[in-house]
Amino acid sequence: DIGQPMDLSSDAIIAISTLLQNQECKIEGLVLRQTRIYDESLAQISLSLQKNVTLREFIVDTKSLTNTGWDIMSSLVCNTSSINSTYSSNHTLYKFGPNISKRVQFDLRADFKFYRSLKMNELADKKIVARMKVVENHFARNLNFDPFIDMQPTLVVHSLRCMHETFEAIHEQR
């Protein structure tokens, strides 16, 4: 134990964000043990993680996060604002929180969708992960087909085929 957690400076946040945005970045784990993160800093880092395909573990003290911070992370790993946003969410990050030894550090402020998305992100086939998130968040509850209304007919057929394959993959996971 090295004492109280320290805060990241704005320069450190910018440096981390810049590094994670770089297409050449191959970092798989970011361990900031004994480092507190706040909503504003997390928002900036999460923007850099939207297109990052290598970072799997982000270990940091989450005690300073509010519901806003947890919503930011939930939206990062599963943005449900549209089918395309869900499909384009981060499907790589599967560990977030203060404990490096556990797969997931549960926090009651985070929602079930966040933890479910982290669990899905552990799967190797990211295309299947993306499809599973789309089906689970846009169709699984009541099979709402409103998102298909403005689609071209060939895209509807392709989407339904993808849903069928995804349902099969979900069934195989259970």
Side-chain angles (χ1 to χ4, degrees):
D1 186 20
I2 60 171
Q4 294 295 318
M6 62 181 185
D7 296 338
L8 286 175
S9 69
S10 59
D11 288 341
I13 297 295
I14 291 169
I16 291 168
S17 297
T18 302
L19 178 66
L20 294 173
Q21 283 178 346
N22 186 333
Q23 298 275 337
E24 303 297 316
C25 176
K26 302 296 183 212
I27 293 175
E28 293 184 12
L30 181 59
V31 180
L32 301 174
R33 192 176 292 131
Q34 294 293 328
T35 306
R36 244 187 323 259
I37 192 161
Y38 296 92
D39 296 342
E40 302 80 28
S41 301
L42 186 61
Q44 189 168 354
I45 291 173
S46 74
L47 288 174
S48 65
L49 289 174
Q50 287 176 347
K51 301 293 183 197
N52 183 291
V53 295
T54 60
L55 189 71
R56 291 168 168 65
E57 302 177 359
F58 186 6
I59 308 305
V60 67
D61 186 329
T62 57
K63 291 178 188 150
S64 300
L65 293 180
T66 67
N67 289 340
T68 300
W70 287 104
D71 289 346
I72 289 167
M73 288 307 295
S74 186
S75 183
L76 171 70
V77 294
C78 191
N79 182 342
T80 59
S81 62
S82 71
I83 290 173
N84 192 45
S85 295
T86 303
Y87 193 84
S88 300
S89 295
N90 179 296
H91 306 303
T92 309
L93 186 70
Y94 65 79
K95 190 187 292 186
F96 176 76
N99 195 333
I100 196 165
S101 63
K102 294 181 181 177
R103 274 281 190 239
V104 175
Q105 179 71 33
F106 289 99
D107 188 300
L108 296 176
R109 295 169 295 171
D111 62 5
F112 175 75
K113 179 182 77 172
F114 173 69
Y115 292 117
R116 177 85 174 121
S117 295
L118 290 180
K119 184 70 178 160
M120 283 187 224
N121 284 357
E122 291 180 3
L123 297 174
D125 188 338
K126 300 309 176 186
K127 194 177 283 190
I128 291 293
V129 173
R131 290 176 180 177
M132 287 172 69
K133 288 179 184 179
V134 167
V135 169
E136 187 169 286
N137 288 283
H138 295 280
F139 303 104
R141 289 188 191 98
N142 56 9
L143 292 176
N144 179 3
F145 286 91
D146 290 344
F148 292 112
I149 291 173
D150 296 326
M151 284 187 182
Q152 296 173 353
T154 55
L155 187 56
V156 171
V157 171
H158 177 72
S159 298
L160 291 173
R161 185 177 318 119
C162 287
M163 284 177 53
H164 173 72
E165 292 169 2
T166 304
F167 279 125
E168 286 180 344
I170 291 170
H171 181 70
E172 289 173 8
Q173 288 292 317
R174 292 181 181 171

